Amino acid sequence: MVARPSAPMRSCNAGEFTPEAKGRVDVKQYYSAGLAFKGVEPVPQSGFRRMGGSRRVGEWRRPLVDRAITAPTPAAGPFVGTQTIWTGTVAGTVAAVLASGLAISAGTATFTIKALVAGVWTTIGGPFAVKAGTPVTRLAAFAPGQQKAATGLRIDATFSVAANVSGLAVSAFFESGTAERPRYVELTTDQGDNLSCFVTAGIADFFTSEGFKGSARIASLTAGMLPDLDFYSEGNTIGIGHGDLETVRLFLATAGQLHDWRQDLWPYDPVPKADLGGDYAKTDDKWEVFWRRGSTNPFVYTTFTINGETTPAIPLPDSTGVPHEWDVGNDWTRYSTDIATAINALPSIGGGVTVVEDTSVTDSHSRKMVITFGGDLSGQEYELSAIVTNTADVSALGYHTQIGKTETEALFSVARGWPGTFELTQDRLSYGRIPAVGGAMAMSRIGEYFDLNIDGQTDNAARLDKLRSQTSETILHIKEASYIFVFTDLALYFVPNRTIERNQPLNFVPASEIGAQPNCKPFTLEGEVYYVAINPEGLDFAANGGKQVLRITESVTSSNTNFNADPVSLLASHLADNLIRSANQKPATDLDASKGWLMRTDGRLIACQMIRNQDINGYCEWLCASGGLVREIGVDGKNRLWLAVERAGRTSIERYDTSIYLQDAVDAVPDLGGVINGLPYEDGAELWAKADGYVLGPFTCVGGSISLGDAYAAALVGRWIPLRFETMPQVLVTGGDEVIRRPGRIHTLYVDIADTDSIAVGANGEDPVDIDLHETSDPVDAPMPLKTKMLTVGGDVLVGMVTDTTAVITQKRPGELRVRQIAMGTKL
């Protein structure tokens, strides 16, 4: 037997390369990359493995439409114990019922909303808590897509003491029309519950990994706002922001009851005020100056200092204007005119100051004048001091009697719009994307996220800052890392201030001239910040998606702190394109890398694996089975990826799960004939099942049913799509580093597999062939064990000859797959 040399490929950490890199063996990552990483992801140690599947949790909601309620009848109180407090009649499907303004006169109560479905009173939602003096509004809803035909509605309540009910108004809704693409926000409550919220027009639906939990009504949130929503979540509260939406607050009214959601407005206290170019009321700045002399009658020369500018010494005159002693011959009326003339002559004043003697002072040893900053000077506060320069026998004391100010207007309002992004920075809640002033950033008082009163003077008070740029920019994201980073549509800035204090101005230092894509939150992986670059055509074209991923790195070439934003997606530019959403996921095991998930406008989902100490940025694509399109992504508090997927005109909410390879999967129990009913799939859907360890299929779903052909204890049913890995083209490199491209072939493949039960291999442009992994030692009455061994593939399997030949690894049927390394025997 003749030994044949082969070229090993152990590391696949460079991920999928753009087709333009074919034959670019001078790129150092060439031999650890591939032309296709579809459904497979690099393993940090070596090789690659299949990506995870997904478990179906539910679906997202279609728009709500009013359902008429006839004969709404509140029951007469007082009520004791459990009683029905309201009834109504409906005709048609009901998805949700809103009980508004319910108040009770004493004690506490819980109420439950029910619908009469096929003659049975079925709970829609509840119990919801209410206490005396606090009217509540609650939405009871069936799970999205699970509306039911009803003929009646009622509200049952249980009271702690005898009480009357008032203010109750009831509305009903059904789902209709096309489901808008949802937005995702996660919340980890103070009690440790992990909730995933999918927001659609007019409603927010909450899920845990077990399924649907409850809903909250947001009537002011329209479909057009969905793409540009932003969220802040902490504790039991979720804030929802948009420039055209008065900021909404959702919070759990009762700890531990994940269905009992309350909705109101974000409790700004107060909002910051600013000059937005309107016509505002102004108040003059006023000072009084008091002169007092001793027993002598001296000459009086007085200087005035206004905002650091000082007048010449002004003498007290007589009626002809000649300096005169303080006695009955002086002229204080003329003196006031001379003072006004001298102050108005100051460079920063230029007119508008009036000085009037206060004749109410009749003491011959005292005089008082009122100095008013009016006209164009009105609306501002001035600093004034007066000093008698020629004698110590006379004193002059100036004191403020009225502070000049301009009333201005609220920075956030119905007329001016509302902040579109929130971020916590140094225990202040920072607000950006402010419609009235795009380059402004408001920061709350420390520890008080709603207090934006910028008139406070302490270091922990709220503040309002604006980018000092010559162009109009919009702050899109704010992120705290080693420094505070501010992302606009035109640039990236960092704030070198180590602490943010009220009276210390922020220094916005430019770090990059590439702005950030809106609605793609910057994320931190391996201690470094990444962000998606904005669409090159600007903010107006942001809906088309960003084109690059950049990493913010600290510059080491300067003695001063500085940052650069460097692209990390150039070798996978065909994947990192049209990006409209981002999420980050931390490693779960030693076989995982940190992941940046990137969603595209065309519904494709890209994963970028980041390992900083190995200089790895490996891109791969998660393939969505049955032609599915990913419409929203998010990572919850337990580091789990959630997906909103659209397939065949239907929607699903799914949770990414690395332990399975089926997608949109549900657990099911077949009957004794192997039939599974009640599956949530469309007719004609191709499905696979893993039942008692056996992989069965494919099946065609008809009426929500498939037949496995035999009885099984339990099954996992779902969709499947074959993965695909393809090596970079193999070319001949001479000793002089010349690349010779000519027809060649891969004649042998050595594939080191681990924990694998399904693999197909091909090369040289030929179709891959399924490799039978069964061995004679395998049990005949149990599923084949997973295999860990070296596969040698050649002979009739690898035929043909082609220029730029590649090897392909895929699957013909669902199963586990992990490749630790491959080696190729070639003839080039």
Side-chain angles (χ1 to χ4, degrees), residues 132-193:
T134 308
V136 301
T137 297
R138 297 289 189 272
L139 183 70
F142 290 118
Q146 302 299 313
Q147 60 185 353
K148 302 182 186 301
T151 55
L153 300 173
R154 82 181 192 196
I155 299 178
D156 294 341
T158 300
F159 297 85
S160 63
V161 298
N164 287 305
V165 171
S166 62
L168 176 62
V170 181
S171 306
F173 310 92
F174 66 97
E175 292 185 42
S176 181
T178 303
E180 302 289 342
R181 299 177 184 180
R183 294 299 308 277
Y184 175 88
V185 57
E186 72 86 22
L187 176 69
T188 301
T189 70
D190 292 334
Q191 291 74 38
D193 301 300

Side-chain angles (χ1 to χ4, degrees), residues 514-738:
I514 302 177
Q517 174 73 11
N519 313 310
C520 279
K521 287 253 185 184
F523 53 90
T524 302
L525 293 177
E526 298 286 323
E528 293 185 323
V529 177
Y530 295 79
Y531 72 99
V532 176
I534 193 170
N535 186 292
E537 296 180 81
L539 191 56
D540 291 341
F541 297 88
N544 297 330
K547 303 288 186 181
Q548 273 188 350
V549 179
L550 297 101
R551 176 176 56 203
I552 302 173
T553 56
E554 189 167 359
S555 173
V556 296
T557 59
S558 170
S559 59
N560 297 320
T561 301
N562 198 10
F563 288 87
N564 299 316
D566 304 315
V568 294
S569 58
L570 297 181
L571 292 175
S573 57
H574 65 303
L575 294 180
D577 192 16
N578 303 321
L579 305 175
I580 57 172
R581 204 78 74 243
S582 60
N584 64 296
Q585 190 176 32
K586 297 182 286 291
T589 70
D590 287 342
L591 297 181
D592 295 307
S594 299
K595 285 190 183 70
W597 291 97
L598 308 168
M599 188 184 82
R600 297 168 39 130
T601 56
D602 56 8
R604 296 167 66 183
L605 182 60
I606 310 303
C608 178
Q609 304 219 68
M610 309 289 188
I611 306 177
R612 183 175 63 175
N613 62 2
Q614 295 183 28
D615 194 23
I616 289 172
N617 298 294
Y619 287 76
C620 53
E621 180 175 0
W622 186 75
L623 299 177
C624 197
S626 302
L629 303 174
V630 179
R631 296 308 190 191
E632 179 64 336
I633 60 173
V635 174
D636 70 10
K638 289 188 175 179
N639 198 41
R640 300 173 299 192
L641 176 69
W642 289 68
L643 312 164
V645 180
E646 186 177 0
R647 294 185 182 91
R650 304 180 68 173
T651 67
S652 63
I653 291 172
E654 303 169 26
R655 181 168 52 82
Y656 184 80
D657 189 340
T658 57
S659 68
I660 64 174
Y661 42 74
L662 298 181
Q663 296 182 21
D664 197 16
V666 296
D667 291 306
V669 178
D671 64 17
L672 294 178
V675 176
I676 300 176
N677 294 307
L679 294 173
Y681 307 112
E682 72 277 6
D683 286 350
E686 183 181 277
L687 303 175
W688 293 78
K690 187 172 184 180
D692 296 349
Y694 293 96
V695 176
L696 308 173
F699 305 101
T700 300
C701 183
V702 177
S705 177
I706 62 172
S707 176
L708 305 184
D710 203 349
Y712 293 90
L716 181 71
V717 180
R719 309 172 192 266
W720 179 74
I721 184 171
L723 54 81
R724 180 181 175 85
F725 165 78
E726 184 175 3
T727 66
M728 295 301 290
Q730 301 300 297
V731 296
L732 178 62
V733 182
T734 69
D737 286 338
E738 295 176 328

